Amino acid sequence: MSPPPTLGQPYHVVVMGATGFTGKIAAEYLARRYTPGHDQPVRWALAGRSESKLKDVAKSLGLSADDVPILLCDASNPEDVERLVQSTRVVANYAGTPFYDKALPIVDACARSATCYVDITGEVPFMRASYDRYHDKCVESGALVVHACGFDSVPTDMGAFLAARAMREAHGCQCSSLKMAWGQSDGGFSGGTLATGIELIVGGDKVPGAVEAKARGAYALDPAGAAGGPDTENNGGSIVGYDPAIPATPWTGPFVMSAVNCPVVRKTNALLDHSYGANVRVSEVQTFPSRLAAYAYVGVLGLALAVLAIPPVRSALLALGLLPKPGEGPSKAVQDAGFFRGTAVARGEGDMRDKVVRAHVNSGTIGDPGYKSTACMSVEAALCLALDRDKCSTKGGVLTPMAAMGDALVDRLTAAGMDISVEVDGQPVATTSASQ
């Protein structure tokens, strides 16, 4: 069992931004799963700008100040941020919408203080800026900074990690391609996610890291010195495609978040010495049972994006309540009933090109794609760094979920209720490495 926090760090995890939509769900997850009688006790706290709102969150969870301390922290106040990072082993940051203008000072303080950090951002420019500014500081201090610790980056990164490893162990080769194929899912989206997307579009090259990320193309997040690779896009080469390696739903279309998740997978590959393959092609798609369904989806998606890109129309939809505002999102019933199903499909390289390995990363019992499952993934990632640090990367840095935590996160999410499995030549195999 991990030792308790030191006097200088009374908390294992502090939930920063606990009054936001996903921050509240993360606090609820901690309160529900890690009760005082749990076999791995967790000392945690709520943090944010408003004491009254934080007290409301604690009260809604049936907790008192003795159960969960409240820390006041304004991310724009350096003294607040310094006190925050000095008090905990890990900061789990949910204060976004967007992250790029709030989180960099927290990452900076964590890097200097050897405090680990996780968040749920999907902002590629912010992740680029975080690496460029603070990776070397993290290496020096030993801090692990891990962005993109929610849906859908974690399942995509994890699926690729498991499929590529199974390919090496079963067939002794690397991969020519890794494709994350998303099947059925059910859930909703929040106003914060929508507002962040709009902010990134409006901000353009003025957003920190945007120019640097754009210059690297498909390898926008690769570490310094990485050579890139063959990818020029994220959809596998066509808007609508067909892949017989995806059973039942072989037709494919663009996946909305592929421009975020594929660079995360490529960075993981580079950080792991290109163990997936030096020339592996990485893509991410949504799957459909027919060509007609795929084309219909592409049409609806294109229309939705075009409508949202028009400011007056977007404002009207918000005013009419047809789009969620920041702080709003799917109901608890939707979160509880929601689910996702994803499969990472790996193909061998060279003479093993006909070999196919699949890693299934499904929601199991952890809830809807965007919020309840994201709270679970990010909290368990934070606890990996707080309680299982000896199982994580021995080196500090601004890393990815799988490069930082690997099997430790797979094990935690499996225990939390995710349905994770691997099949080689149609037969199930262990998700853990044969060398362990």
Side-chain angles (χ1 to χ4, degrees):
M1 182 177 292
S2 177
T6 65
L7 290 175
Q9 294 179 318
Y11 310 115
H12 290 112
V13 177
V14 171
V15 178
M16 175 63 182
T19 62
F21 188 79
T22 311
K24 289 179 185 176
I25 303 170
E28 180 185 355
Y29 178 84
L30 271 164
R32 183 181 70 251
R33 181 165 173 80
Y34 293 96
T35 58
H38 193 274
D39 61 2
Q40 197 174 36
V42 176
R43 179 72 173 158
W44 59 286
L46 301 172
R49 291 179 297 177
S50 170
E51 184 176 11
S52 62
K53 289 182 179 180
L54 289 167
K55 287 182 176 178
D56 287 344
V57 171
K59 184 178 179 181
S60 72
L61 301 175
L63 301 174
S64 68
D66 292 332
D67 298 318
V68 57
I70 287 173
L71 308 179
L72 295 183
C73 179
D74 184 335
S76 65
N77 184 319
E79 292 182 357
D80 283 2
V81 172
E82 197 66 32
R83 279 194 298 270
L84 175 77
V85 303
Q86 294 289 348
S87 72
T88 185
R89 288 185 185 177
V90 183
V91 174
N93 187 19
Y94 301 89
T97 316
F99 278 90
Y100 73 78
D101 65 352
K102 303 174 187 69
L104 286 171
I106 301 176
V107 175
D108 180 19
C110 286
R112 289 185 284 101
S113 303
T115 298
C116 294
Y117 170 101
V118 302
D119 65 29
I120 57 170
T121 188
E123 301 166 32
V124 170
F126 162 62
M127 291 188 273
R128 181 75 254 169
S130 175
Y131 177 91
D132 289 344
R133 296 183 188 186
Y134 307 120
H135 176 74
D136 288 344
K137 286 185 181 179
C138 288
V139 171
E140 183 178 344
S141 72
L144 281 172
V145 168
V146 191
H147 303 297
C149 285
F151 182 88
D152 30 51
S153 292
V154 165
T156 301
D157 201 24
M158 185 176 292
F161 174 85
L162 293 172
R165 182 171 67 189
M167 180 66 75
R168 292 194 306 274
E169 293 184 349
H171 299 299
C173 67
Q174 295 183 321
C175 303
S176 63
S177 67
L178 279 165
K179 178 184 291 182
M180 187 62 180
W182 288 104
Q184 286 184 306
S185 66
D186 189 23
F189 66 96
S190 74
T193 299
L194 178 62
T196 295
I198 293 168
E199 285 272 359
L200 290 173
I201 293 171
V202 172
D205 289 348
K206 295 179 181 178
V207 174
V211 172
E212 293 81 3
K214 190 183 297 183
R216 288 168 171 79
Y219 298 84
L221 297 178
D222 266 22
D231 287 331
T232 58
E233 46 77 44
N234 303 303
N235 298 318
S238 59
I239 295 177
V240 170
Y242 181 84
D243 189 342
I246 307 172
T249 55
W251 291 95
T252 65
F255 187 70
V256 175
M257 296 298 291
S258 64
V260 176
N261 301 328
C262 289
V264 169
V265 172
R266 295 181 188 114
K267 179 179 178 179
T268 299
N269 185 35
L271 289 169
L272 299 180
D273 297 323
H274 292 96
S275 62
Y276 301 177
N279 295 299
V280 62
R281 291 188 176 275
V282 176
S283 61
E284 187 173 31
V285 296
Q286 182 69 51
T287 65
F288 303 93
S290 69
R291 181 187 304 195
L292 180 61
Y295 275 109
Y297 163 83
V298 170
V300 171
L301 178 63
L303 179 61
L305 293 176
V307 167
L308 292 175
I310 303 172
V313 175
R314 189 169 63 239
S315 298
L317 293 174
L318 285 167
L320 292 170
L322 298 176
L323 292 175
K325 299 174 182 178
E328 299 176 347
S331 67
K332 188 176 187 307
V334 170
Q335 293 171 34
D336 290 344
F339 65 92
F340 61 85
R341 298 188 182 107
T343 298
V345 180
R347 285 181 169 81
E349 64 177 359
D351 294 340
M352 296 291 181
R353 205 174 187 85
D354 62 329
K355 300 298 183 183
V356 176
V357 171
R358 299 178 183 87
H360 305 287
V361 188
N362 303 326
S363 55
T365 62
I366 69 169
D368 75 304
Y371 302 97
K372 189 175 180 181
S373 69
T374 285
C376 169
M377 293 173 199
S378 53
V379 168
E380 294 298 346
L383 294 178
C384 266
L385 303 181
L387 303 175
D388 303 328
R389 185 65 177 83
D390 58 327
K391 300 177 183 178
C392 301
S393 172
T394 57
K395 298 178 181 179
V398 179
L399 308 183
T400 60
M402 286 297 100
M405 293 170 278
D407 285 316
L409 186 57
V410 176
D411 292 344
R412 276 197 167 271
L413 291 179
T414 299
M418 274 187 69
D419 177 14
I420 303 168
S421 62
V422 178
E423 61 174 276
V424 175
D425 300 329
Q427 299 299 313
V429 300
T431 56
T432 54
S433 173
S435 62
Q436 286 189 322

